[in-house]
């Protein structure tokens, strides 16, 4: 059993090169299946979810080579269209292989990804959209059995909610389909733009408009391509929360600041000094944070649900009362009971968390039950007085590459213990 041990109360100072985005890398890796060519993908984070994506690619018949943060995928040998349950279960976002396998082979058989720690996570929008594209889909015994004939038809799909995964699956299934596909009310997350940039670098014709419209003109043949995954905006926001909590001064490099520009003023509300240019952010903090007041998670460009938990740790030690409303996932407050163990005063009513900031948290033995909730515990432990032990760090490892090394580099007293 592994735990992350943190001796809290140290200021954080220095620089971090932020890893590539997990949520960009995963759909991009899935997209390589479509291309029938060689894709070189740089800045791929070293994470267990990326390992799971590589295992699926290999199973489908791709040749995959990994050298540090560069993954080369040769998808010319793709022959398989079934993904076994054991591989699907490794990560929730394996559902994005549905669009790519269907787009490449005209068939796909995989198992439903099911719910997870943060909610039910249905895929009804994915399936209804693929049906609109002409797919026939059967759901039997936990399996999703799809086939799609090539038809020359222009299609407009209007999403009732701008689902990130559904938007990605439509793009993937439509990239090589005859005719034009238009998605209305598409997700606008930066990861969608990164996926389109990747596919376009291989010759696809995908236009992501700023108002939630995506236009996909199907192509017949792609070519080899090379792409650099964008910086991880959620990892960047997590580290900034850590510094806002502990005090200190940190520069983050290799980020696309535009991807989280709307969130930066919140750190200023808390009393931080923030300076940024297109690829770096500098944050310094010299005082106890002030309450954040009112945060509501929303689809992009609103406040990201993935940053809700780390910001709750910041609110927990801020002066005054903050309110956080979680509008995207129904069970995304699992970290609250653990933060309470560290002395936080938080009340939950449905989707609303009321956080009464305390002067300081104390170290405790806590358990991470999901990725971002686990990261929130790390943030809280860095600021807490005394020693914390965070169990089940495997959840954190799904999204944060070498989190101890990154935080140690800026002065944290943090290490991993294996028992
Ligand atoms: C992606 C991100 C995740 C992030 C989320 C929202 C990846 C790998 N994961 O997840 O980190 O928290 O976007 O920004 O990129 N929904 C339905 N039916 C559907 C699809 C979604 O009801 O068919 C609901 C979900 O239950 C949820 C909401 O829509 O309540 C948002 O889900 P979605 O945008 O699809 O998130 P994911 O793509 O799963």
């Amino acid at each position: 059993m592994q735990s992350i041990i943190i001796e809290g109360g140290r200021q954080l100072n220095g620089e971090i090169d932020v890893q590539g985005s997990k949520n960009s890398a995963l759909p991009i890796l899935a997209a390589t299946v479509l291309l029938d060519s060689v894709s070189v993908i740089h800045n791929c984070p070293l994470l267990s979810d990326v390992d799971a994506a590589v295992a699926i690619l290999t199973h489908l018949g791709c040749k995959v080579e990994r050298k540090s943060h560069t993954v080369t995928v040769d998808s010319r040998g793709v022959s398989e269209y079934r993904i076994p349950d054991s591989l699907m279960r490794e990560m929730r976002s394996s559902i994005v292989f549905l669009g790519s396998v269907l787009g490449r082979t005209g068939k796909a058989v995989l198992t439903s990804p099911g719910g997870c720690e943060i909610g039910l996570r249905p895929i009804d929008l994915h399936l209804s959209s693929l049906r609109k594209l002409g797919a026939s889909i059967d759901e039997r015994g936990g399996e999703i059995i799809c086939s799609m004939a090539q038809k020359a038809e222009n299609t407009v799909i209007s999403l009732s909610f701008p689902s990130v995964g559904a938007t990605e699956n439509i793009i993937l299934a439509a990239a090589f389909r005859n005719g034009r596909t238009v998605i209305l009310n598409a997700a606008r997350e930066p990861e969608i733009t990164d996926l389109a940039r990747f596919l376009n670098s291989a010759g696809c014709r995908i236009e992501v408009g700023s108002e939630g419209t995506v236009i996909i003109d199907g192509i017949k043949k792609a070519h080899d391509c090379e792409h650099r995954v964008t910086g991880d905006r959620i990892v960047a926001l997590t580290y900034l929360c850590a510094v806002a909590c502990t005090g200190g001064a940190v520069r983050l490099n290799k980020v696309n600041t535009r991807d989280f520009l709307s969130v930066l003023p919140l750190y200023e509300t808390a009393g931080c000094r923030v300076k940024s240019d297109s690829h770096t952010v500098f944050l310094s903090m010299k005082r106890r944070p002030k309450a954040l007041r009112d945060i509501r998670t929303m689809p992009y460009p609103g406040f990201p649900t993935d940053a809700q938990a780390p910001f709750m740790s910041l609110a927990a030690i801020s002066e005054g009362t903050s309110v956080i409303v979680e509008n995207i996932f129904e069970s995304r407050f699992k970290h609250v009971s653990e933060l309470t163990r560290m002395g936080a005063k938080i009340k939950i009513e449905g989707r609303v968390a009321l956080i009464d900031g305390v002067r300081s948290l104390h170290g405790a033995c806590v358990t991470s039950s999901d990725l971002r909730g686990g990261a929130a515990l790390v943030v809280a432990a860095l600021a807490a007085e005394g020693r914390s032990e965070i169990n089940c760090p495997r959840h954190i490892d799904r999204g944060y590459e070498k989190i101890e090394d990154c935080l140690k580099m800026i002065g944290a007293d943090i290490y991993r213990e294996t028992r």
Side-chain angles (χ1 to χ4, degrees):
M1 194 179 103
Q2 290 196 335
S3 315
I4 292 177
I5 311 293
I6 296 174
E7 196 65 53
R10 297 202 166 194
Q11 282 210 342
L12 300 176
N13 289 289
E15 281 186 49
I16 296 178
D17 286 349
V18 173
Q19 69 185 63
S21 161
K22 167 180 89 74
N23 288 355
S24 272
L26 296 176
I28 286 172
L29 287 169
T32 61
V33 171
L34 272 175
L35 300 178
D36 196 8
S37 61
V38 179
S39 314
V40 181
I41 303 155
H42 302 290
N43 205 28
C44 236
L46 301 175
L47 300 169
S48 49
D49 272 11
V50 171
D51 298 342
V54 167
I56 294 176
L57 289 172
T58 310
H59 168 83
L60 293 170
C62 298
K63 280 193 199 134
V64 186
E65 211 180 275
R66 281 175 90 173
K67 275 198 192 128
S68 181
H69 293 85
T70 296
V71 182
T72 304
V73 185
D74 179 349
S75 65
R76 286 172 296 185
V78 165
S79 50
E80 184 57 85
Y81 61 90
R82 288 166 299 221
I83 305 177
D85 190 47
S86 55
L87 290 176
M88 285 299 289
R89 274 183 193 275
E90 285 292 309
M91 61 167 177
R92 151 85 203 182
S93 38
S94 50
I95 190 62
V96 84
F97 277 91
L98 177 58
S100 65
V101 174
L102 194 60
R104 173 69 190 272
T105 67
K107 293 180 278 191
V109 178
L110 36 79
T111 57
S112 162
C116 75
E117 306 81 12
I118 60 173
L120 284 174
R121 306 190 84 168
I123 53 164
D124 53 315
L125 295 173
H126 300 236
L127 300 186
S128 59
S129 304
L130 294 178
R131 283 192 175 105
K132 275 218 152 156
L133 285 179
S136 28
I137 304 175
D138 242 7
E139 290 179 85
R140 255 185 276 137
E143 264 192 339
I144 304 165
I145 302 152
C146 295
S147 61
M148 190 160 79
Q150 270 287 10
K151 278 192 280 178
E153 242 176 52
N154 294 339
T155 308
V156 177
I157 298 173
S158 181
L159 289 173
S160 57
F161 179 88
S163 154
V164 175
T167 303
E168 289 165 348
N169 258 330
I170 301 167
I171 291 174
L172 293 170
F176 284 78
R177 178 178 176 267
N178 290 334
R180 169 171 280 198
T181 306
V182 178
I183 317 175
L184 302 177
N185 197 27
R188 293 192 260 167
E189 269 68 3
E191 294 75 28
I192 301 290
T193 313
D194 208 20
L195 173 64
R197 272 199 312 124
F198 166 70
L199 285 166
N200 289 344
S201 76
C204 293
R205 291 171 58 205
I206 300 160
E207 200 186 309
V208 179
S210 57
E211 297 301 319
T213 302
V214 178
I215 301 171
I216 306 134
D217 286 306
I219 62 158
K220 296 254 176 286
K221 182 93 191 102
H223 50 73
D224 294 351
C225 69
E226 203 161 336
H227 179 80
R228 188 179 169 79
V229 172
T230 188
D232 196 308
R233 62 193 171 109
I234 306 299
V235 169
L237 293 173
T238 305
Y239 290 150
L240 293 177
C241 281
V243 187
C245 283
T246 63
V250 166
R251 181 184 311 280
L252 300 184
N253 303 317
K254 300 191 177 176
V255 291
N256 268 322
T257 312
R258 216 180 40 186
D259 295 348
F260 51 88
L261 214 49
S262 66
V263 184
L264 289 182
L266 276 175
Y267 297 107
E268 288 169 333
T269 305
C272 306
R273 196 164 73 86
V274 182
K275 267 176 73 179
S276 63
D277 58 31
S278 53
H279 295 292
T280 61
V281 181
F282 172 83
L283 182 145
S284 67
M285 183 62 160
K286 290 193 176 135
R287 42 160 292 157
R288 181 180 172 202
K290 287 184 281 192
L292 300 165
R293 307 244 161 76
D294 192 358
I295 293 179
R296 286 161 197 273
T297 65
M298 305 282 262
Y300 190 84
F303 183 90
T305 172
D306 287 350
Q308 179 256 106
F311 268 90
M312 192 176 294
S313 298
L314 174 56
I317 57 155
S318 296
E319 194 179 343
T321 302
S322 307
V323 177
I324 297 183
V325 184
E326 173 54 60
N327 289 310
I328 308 293
F329 290 107
E330 68 275 17
S331 315
R332 213 165 196 185
F333 283 142
K334 295 245 163 82
H335 45 284
V336 170
S337 58
E338 305 303 290
L339 288 175
T340 307
R341 277 181 161 222
M342 301 172 89
K345 285 198 180 146
I346 304 171
K347 274 195 206 135
I348 301 291
E349 277 171 31
R351 287 175 176 260
V352 181
L354 207 74
I355 305 121
D356 209 358
V358 294
R359 187 160 280 283
S360 69
L361 297 172
H362 50 78
C365 179
V366 289
T367 300
S368 90
S369 58
D370 67 277
L371 166 56
R372 306 301 171 188
L377 300 180
V378 171
V379 170
L382 290 167
E385 284 172 11
R387 184 180 190 272
S388 292
E389 181 179 325
I390 301 167
N391 294 316
C392 294
R394 66 173 189 281
H395 293 293
I396 302 169
D397 296 338
R398 284 187 37 233
Y400 294 81
E401 179 179 328
K402 298 188 178 150
I403 191 165
E404 308 96 276
D405 294 356
C406 281
L407 290 168
K408 214 180 281 172
M409 231 160 39
I410 56 171
D413 185 346
I414 178 171
Y415 62 96
R416 193 173 289 234
E417 205 171 71
T418 307
R419 270 169 285 142

